[in-house]
C-alpha cells in the first residue's frame, strides 16, 4: 500500500500562469506547499506564535486567517496528505485510513469502519486507486454563505473550481419526486391545485423576511415547524416534508419553527445568486480540496507546513511543543489540535456525544437518471418513515458523477449520511441503499414508464394505470444488480450537534453544560470533528471562535487588503452546466457555460 499516494489538487492542475498572478505580503510568487510539490522543510521553526495540528477544513481556515493577520504559524499533520477529518482520499489511502480506525488510532472519533473494494480497482483491474477521490466528510456549498464570502475575499477561490447543483429529490411512497425549487416551477406544476400554489407562494414570500413578522411565528417559537406550516399556511404533509427535508435539509420533524425557517430561507436566498441553482460543489473533492486551498493561502502569508510531522507533547509551563522527530518549537500563543491527532495522554478532551453514520458507495453506472441535462450532482433526501425500517431520522444522499472529477467516466459516488445512532442507523443506511439501487435499475432498464403501463379492470378492460411505478412493479421484472466498486461504512463522533441554526450569531458551540468547543487546557485548544450538517455553514463560525480565543477578537478575521486590480474586476468563476439556454441573449450574458461573479457576498 502506498501511503504517500495523493490525487493532484485543482491548484496543481491550473496553468502556472494563473498561480503566478498571486502575491504575498512580500510580493513573492505563490510558494508551493511543503509536502505537496516540494520536500518537507529540513528544520522545524524554533519559535512560532501558533502551532496547528491537523489540516482539516476548520484548522486550515484558521491557519490562513492567523497568517494573514500577522501571526507566525506552524501547521503540521501526521498524515501524508492534507485534509485530516475532511480529507479526500484515494482508494489506497482509504484502505490505510480504515486500518487506522480499526486499530483505534482515532480513538473516540471514528468506529466500526468496513471497506469493500472490487478487484476491478487494482493495478490489474480496470480502475486505479488514484482514479477516485472519496470525501470523509462530504459537504455542499450554498451560494449565499459565509464560507463562499471568505473564499472570494481571501482569493482562495483561485485554487478551486466549482460546479452547480440544483437537482433535489425527495423519496416518498417508493418513488422519487424532483423538487420544484423555483416560483416558475411551482406555478407551472399541473399536479398542484391552485390553492396549494397560492399557499406555497404566500409562504415563500413570508419566509424571505420572516424575522420582521413575529406576530406570525412567535406563538410557535418552541413548536415544530411542521405545526406552523400546517396551521398558518394550510400546507399538506408532502409539501411540508419537502420544505423541511429537501429545502431545509433537516434531519427530523421536531426542528423548531425559527430554526427551520432560517434553513429554508438559506436555500431560497441562495437560489439565482449566480444562476438557477442554490448550491455549489468543488471539483476533485469536497472539504479536502477547500482545506488545501486555505493551506495554500496560509503558505502565501508565511505559514510553515510539514506533513508526517506528529506532535508528541506540549509543556504548558515552558510552552515548548515537541514533535516525533525530536524537534521542538517555542509557542508564544496557543496550540490548536484536531481530536484525531491529539498526543497520547491528552487531558480535557472534548466529549463526542453526537453520532454521524456514513455509507459511501461507488457504482459502475453513470446514474444520469438522477441529473438534469449537463448536470453531474444531485441531492436525494429520505424523510422520516419513508424507508422500510420506518426511519425516525432522515437520510441524506449526495450523488456525484464523473463530471465532479472524483470518479472515472461511467461511475458514480453515492454518499449516504444519517444522524441516527447505533444499529438503527446502520439499518436505515442499508434500506436507503436498497431503495436507491432498485430505483436506478428501474429507471434505466427497459421497463415501461408509467404512461405506457396498463391495468386490467375486473370486467377485463384495460385502463391507463395512474399509479406511479414502485418497488412492487420491479419485483416481477427481470432482475438486475448494480456493480459496486467500493463500499465504505463507518461511524463518526463529534462534539457538535447537527446544525440547527444557520445564522453565525446564533450558532451554539456548547457541547454539554460543562464543555465548550475550543475550551483551553493549559494553552491547548481542541477543534471539533465535522458534524452531521451537509453544508459548510459551521466551518467559518468554528474558525472564528478559535481565532477569537487566540487573538482576543475576530474583528480582523480575514481583514485582508489585496492590492491587485484583477480581483477588483473578477473574483472567480462558477461553472454552471444549466447556463446553456435557448435564449441567445441570456446565453451571451451567461457566456454559454460560465457565470462570472464579482465582489464579496454579504450574508
Amino acid at each position: 500500500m502506498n501511503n504517500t499516494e495523493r490525487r493532484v489538487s485543482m491548484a496543481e492542475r491550473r496553468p502556472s500562469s494563473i498561480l503566478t498572478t498571486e502575491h504575498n505580503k512580500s510580493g513573492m510568487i505563490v510558494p508551493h506547499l511543503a509536502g505537496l510539490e516540494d520536500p518537507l522543510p529540513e528544520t522545524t521553526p524554533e519559535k512560532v506564535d501558533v502551532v496547528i495540528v491537523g489540516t482539516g477544513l476548520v484548522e486550515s481556515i484558521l491557519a490562513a486567517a492567523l497568517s494573514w493577520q500577522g501571526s507566525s504559524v506552524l501547521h503540521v499533520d501526521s498524515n501524508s496528505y492534507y485534509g485530516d477529518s475532511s480529507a479526500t482520499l484515494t482508494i489506497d489511502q482509504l484502505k490505510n485510513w480504515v486500518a487506522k480506525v480499526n486499530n483505534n488510532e482515532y480513538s473516540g472519533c471514528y468506529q466500526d469502519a468496513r471497506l469493500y473494494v472490487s478487484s476491478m480497482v487494482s493495478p490489474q483491474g480496470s480502475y486505479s486507486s488514484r482514479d477516485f477521490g472519496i470525501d470523509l466528510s462530504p459537504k455542499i456549498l450554498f451560494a449565499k454563505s459565509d464560507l463562499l464570502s471568505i473564499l472570494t475575499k481571501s482569493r482562495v477561490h483561485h485554487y478551486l473550481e466549482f460546479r452547480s447543483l440544483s437537482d433535489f429529490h425527495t423519496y416518498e411512497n417508493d418513488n422519487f419526486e424532483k423538487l420544484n425549487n423555483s416560483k416558475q416551477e411551482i406555478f407551472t406544476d399541473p399536479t398542484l391545485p391552485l390553492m396549494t400554489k397560492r399557499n406555497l407562494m404566500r409562504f415563500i414570500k413570508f419566509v424571505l423576511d420572516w424575522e420582521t413578522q413575529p406576530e406570525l411565528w412567535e406563538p410557535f417559537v418552541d413548536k415544530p415547524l411542521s405545526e406552523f406550516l400546517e396551521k398558518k399556511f394550510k400546507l399538506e404533509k408532502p409539501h411540508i416534508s419537502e420544505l423541511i427535508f429537501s429545502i431545509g435539509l433537516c434531519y427530523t420533524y421536531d426542528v423548531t419553527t425559527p430554526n427551520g425557517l432560517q434553513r429554508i430561507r438559506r436555500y431560497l436566498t441562495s437560489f439565482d445568486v449566480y444562476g438557477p441553482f442554490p448550491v455549489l460543489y468543488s471539483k476533485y473533492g469536497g472539504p479536502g480540496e477547500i482545506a488545501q486551498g486555505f493551506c495554500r493561502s496560509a503558505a502565501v502569508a508565511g505559514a510553515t507546513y510539514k506533513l508526517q510531522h506528529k506532535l508528541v507533547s506540549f509543556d504548558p509551563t515552558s510552552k515548548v511543543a515537541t514533535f516525533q522527530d525530536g524537534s521542538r518549537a517555542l509557542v508564544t500563543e496557543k496550540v490548536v489540535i484536531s481530536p484525531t491527532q491529539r498526543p497520547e495522554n491528552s487531558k480535557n478532551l472534548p466529549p463526542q456525544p453526537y453520532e454521524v453514520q456514513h455509507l459511501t458507495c461507488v457504482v459502475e453506472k453513470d446514474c444520469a437518471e438522477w441529473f438534469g441535462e449537463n448536470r453531474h450532482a444531485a441531492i436525494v433526501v429520505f424523510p422520516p418513515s419513508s424507508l422500510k425500517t420506518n426511519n425516525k431520522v432522515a437520510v441524506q444522499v449526495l450523488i456525484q458523477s464523473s463530471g465532479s472529477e472524483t470518479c472515472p467516466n461511467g461511475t458514480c459516488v453515492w454518499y449516504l449520511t444519517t444522524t441516527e445512532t447505533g444499529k438503527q442507523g446502520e439499518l436505515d443506511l442499508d434500506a436507503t441503499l436498497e431503495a436507491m439501487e432498485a430505483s436506478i435499475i428501474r429507471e434505466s432498464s427497459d421497463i415501461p414508464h408509467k404512461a405506457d403501463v396498463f391495468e386490467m379492470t375486473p370486467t377485463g378492460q384495460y385502463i391507463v394505470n395512474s399509479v406511479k411505478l414502485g418497488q412492487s412493479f420491479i419485483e416481477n421484472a427481470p432482475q438486475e444488480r448494480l456493480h459496486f466498486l467500493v463500499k465504505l461504512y463507518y461511524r463518526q463522533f463529534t462534539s457538535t450537534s447537527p446544525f440547527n441554526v444557520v445564522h453565525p450569531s446564533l450558532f451554539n458551540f456548547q457541547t454539554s453544560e460543562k464543555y465548550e468547543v475550543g475550551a483551553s487546557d493549559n494553552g491547548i485548544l481542541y477543534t471539533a470533528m465535522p458534524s452531521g450538517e451537509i453544508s459548510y455553514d459551521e466551518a467559518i463560525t468554528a474558525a472564528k471562535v478559535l481565532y477569537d480565543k487566540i487573538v482576543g477578537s475576530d474583528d480582523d478575521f480575514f481583514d485582508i487588503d489585496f492590492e491587485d486590480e484583477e480581483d477588483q474586476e473578477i473574483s472567480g468563476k462558477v461553472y454552471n452546466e444549466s447556463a446553456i439556454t435557448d435564449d441567445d441573449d441570456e446565453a451571451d450574458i451567461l457566456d454559454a457555460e460560465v457565470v462570472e461573479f464579482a465582489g464579496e457576498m454579504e450574508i
Side-chain angles (χ1 to χ4, degrees):
M1 188 180 302
N2 183 4
N3 294 340
T4 61
E5 178 189 57
R6 182 178 61 82
R7 297 185 89 235
V8 182
S9 70
M10 183 66 242
E12 293 170 273
R13 291 179 170 89
R14 291 285 181 86
S16 58
S17 60
I18 294 179
L19 296 182
T20 55
T21 62
E22 300 287 340
H23 297 273
N24 65 11
K25 291 180 289 188
S26 302
M28 297 177 62
I29 291 175
V30 169
H32 293 303
L33 273 181
L36 281 179
E37 301 90 352
D38 288 345
L40 296 173
E42 294 183 2
T43 60
T44 299
E46 294 181 358
K47 182 179 179 180
V48 294
D49 294 326
V50 180
V51 171
I52 300 179
V53 184
T55 54
L57 180 59
V58 171
E59 293 88 352
S60 300
I61 295 171
L62 178 65
L66 289 170
S67 297
W68 284 110
Q69 177 262 348
S71 297
S72 58
V73 175
L74 172 61
H75 201 174
V76 304
D77 197 307
S78 61
N79 297 304
S80 60
Y81 51 81
Y82 286 80
D84 189 37
S85 58
S86 303
T88 303
L89 302 181
T90 66
I91 301 303
D92 282 347
Q93 288 173 335
L94 206 55
K95 292 176 181 177
N96 186 53
W97 179 83
V98 168
K100 287 184 176 181
V101 170
N102 294 328
N103 197 34
N104 209 29
E105 293 188 32
Y106 302 125
S107 177
C109 299
Y110 297 104
Q111 197 177 91
D112 195 18
R114 285 169 263 161
L115 175 65
Y116 160 79
V117 179
S118 167
S119 59
M120 295 182 67
V121 186
S122 66
Q124 296 76 35
S126 304
Y127 308 98
S128 71
S129 167
R130 292 180 62 179
D131 287 340
F132 302 92
I134 306 300
D135 289 328
L136 291 181
S137 181
K139 303 287 183 184
I140 56 175
L141 179 63
F142 277 94
K144 191 163 187 178
S145 61
D146 50 358
L147 177 57
L148 188 50
S149 177
I150 292 295
L151 285 171
T152 305
K153 185 176 183 180
S154 65
R155 304 196 307 182
V156 170
H157 65 270
H158 279 318
Y159 308 128
L160 302 165
E161 188 173 307
F162 292 95
R163 284 192 180 275
S164 61
L165 191 161
S166 61
D167 292 314
F168 286 70
H169 304 270
T170 306
Y171 183 81
E172 290 280 12
N173 301 319
D174 193 28
N175 287 280
F176 292 89
E177 297 291 343
K178 188 177 183 299
L179 182 66
N180 288 325
N181 50 17
S182 72
K183 294 180 181 179
Q184 181 180 359
E185 288 177 333
I186 293 174
F187 272 127
T188 57
D189 187 347
T191 66
L192 290 179
L194 180 60
M195 186 56 68
T196 300
K197 291 180 180 180
R198 288 177 177 174
N199 291 338
L200 281 171
M201 296 307 300
R202 190 163 62 92
F203 172 73
I204 289 175
K205 182 179 179 181
F206 158 78
V207 77
L208 293 174
D209 196 28
W210 67 273
E211 289 169 313
T212 64
Q213 303 175 62
E215 67 280 1
L216 282 180
W217 59 267
E218 277 190 348
F220 297 85
V221 67
D222 295 321
K223 296 179 180 180
L225 176 62
S226 56
E227 183 178 341
F228 173 75
L229 294 174
E230 181 181 359
K231 291 185 177 180
K232 286 295 183 180
F233 292 92
K234 310 302 179 185
L235 295 177
E236 298 176 355
K237 184 177 179 181
H239 307 111
I240 291 174
S241 180
E242 282 193 345
L243 287 169
I244 294 177
F245 298 106
S246 296
I247 290 183
L249 292 172
C250 304
Y251 277 105
T252 61
Y253 274 112
D254 60 9
V255 59
T256 61
T257 296
N259 292 351
L261 293 176
Q262 193 82 309
R263 295 178 71 87
I264 292 171
R265 182 171 64 182
R266 169 184 65 177
Y267 178 103
L268 295 175
T269 56
S270 293
F271 204 88
D272 278 336
V273 172
Y274 302 127
F277 54 87
V279 164
L280 307 168
Y281 64 96
S282 56
K283 292 175 65 176
Y284 303 100
E289 187 77 1
I290 297 178
Q292 200 173 122
F294 278 104
C295 287
R296 290 180 179 276
S297 178
V300 172
T304 300
Y305 278 84
K306 298 189 76 172
L307 291 187
Q308 295 178 294
H309 202 60
K310 185 176 182 179
L311 176 68
V312 174
S313 64
F314 175 69
D315 187 330
T317 303
S318 64
K319 302 292 184 181
V320 172
T322 303
F323 300 93
Q324 195 171 30
D325 62 356
S327 61
R328 299 184 175 187
L330 176 64
V331 183
T332 62
E333 295 292 342
K334 298 285 186 180
V335 175
V336 180
I337 303 177
S338 163
T340 62
Q341 300 195 30
R342 62 186 183 271
E344 294 182 10
N345 303 318
S346 297
K347 299 178 181 179
N348 196 29
L349 295 174
Q352 312 283 344
Y354 302 104
E355 184 174 335
V356 187
Q357 297 202 39
H358 296 272
L359 177 58
T360 300
C361 302
V362 180
V363 299
E364 197 173 31
K365 195 173 185 61
D366 61 17
C367 301
E369 294 79 7
W370 293 109
F371 313 124
E373 187 176 358
N374 296 318
R375 307 284 178 82
H376 305 280
I379 297 289
V380 181
V381 176
F382 293 75
S385 302
S386 62
L387 296 166
K388 68 178 185 180
T389 53
N390 195 28
N391 56 311
K392 294 180 175 59
V393 177
V395 177
Q396 297 174 348
V397 184
L398 171 62
I399 305 174
Q400 293 183 337
S401 71
S402 60
S404 67
E405 303 293 346
T406 59
C407 57
N409 287 335
T411 68
C412 199
V413 184
W414 298 354
Y415 294 104
L416 288 66
T417 304
T418 182
T419 57
E420 180 61 271
T421 60
K423 187 64 177 178
Q424 183 61 48
E426 185 178 352
L427 292 173
D428 289 347
L429 292 177
D430 286 341
T432 301
L433 184 60
E434 182 181 328
M436 291 183 65
E437 182 179 10
S439 172
I440 199 66
I441 290 172
R442 178 170 69 237
E443 293 298 322
S444 61
S445 70
D446 294 329
I447 297 174
H449 290 288
K450 64 179 181 180
D452 302 319
V453 177
F454 292 84
E455 186 179 70
M456 182 179 289
T457 66
T459 60
Q461 292 180 318
Y462 284 94
I463 60 173
V464 175
N465 185 3
S466 61
V467 180
K468 296 179 181 179
L469 292 179
Q471 181 62 35
S472 59
F473 187 87
I474 194 71
E475 286 174 355
N476 298 320
Q479 293 301 300
E480 180 186 347
R481 300 289 296 181
L482 281 183
H483 184 203
F484 288 91
L485 298 174
V486 177
K487 280 187 178 181
L488 170 68
Y489 167 81
Y490 56 99
R491 297 165 66 192
Q492 177 202 314
F493 298 89
T494 176
S495 55
T496 307
S497 65
F499 202 51
N500 290 323
V501 181
V502 176
H503 197 281
S505 67
L506 301 177
F507 192 95
N508 182 11
F509 271 89
Q510 297 293 327
T511 60
S512 71
E513 293 182 358
K514 298 181 179 179
Y515 184 82
E516 182 182 356
V517 171
S520 179
D521 175 21
N522 295 324
I524 294 178
L525 299 174
Y526 294 99
T527 61
M529 293 286 291
S531 77
E533 166 62 20
I534 194 173
S535 80
Y536 289 100
D537 283 358
E538 66 192 12
I540 295 297
T541 309
K544 277 187 173 182
V545 168
L546 294 162
Y547 183 93
D548 178 79
K549 289 179 179 294
I550 295 170
V551 177
S553 169
D554 63 7
D555 291 343
D556 59 352
F557 183 81
F558 277 108
D559 185 16
I560 311 168
D561 182 18
F562 288 112
E563 297 179 0
D564 191 329
E565 293 182 0
E566 174 194 359
D567 286 281
Q568 300 300 321
E569 299 174 0
I570 297 177
S571 295
K573 294 182 178 180
V574 175
Y575 282 79
N576 171 23
E577 298 85 358
S578 65
I580 303 176
T581 70
D582 295 329
D583 187 325
D584 291 337
D585 293 334
E586 184 177 359
D588 290 338
I589 293 172
L590 296 176
D591 194 27
E593 292 185 349
V594 178
V595 177
E596 295 180 344
F597 61 95
E600 179 186 359
M601 182 171 56
E602 297 295 334
I603 299 178

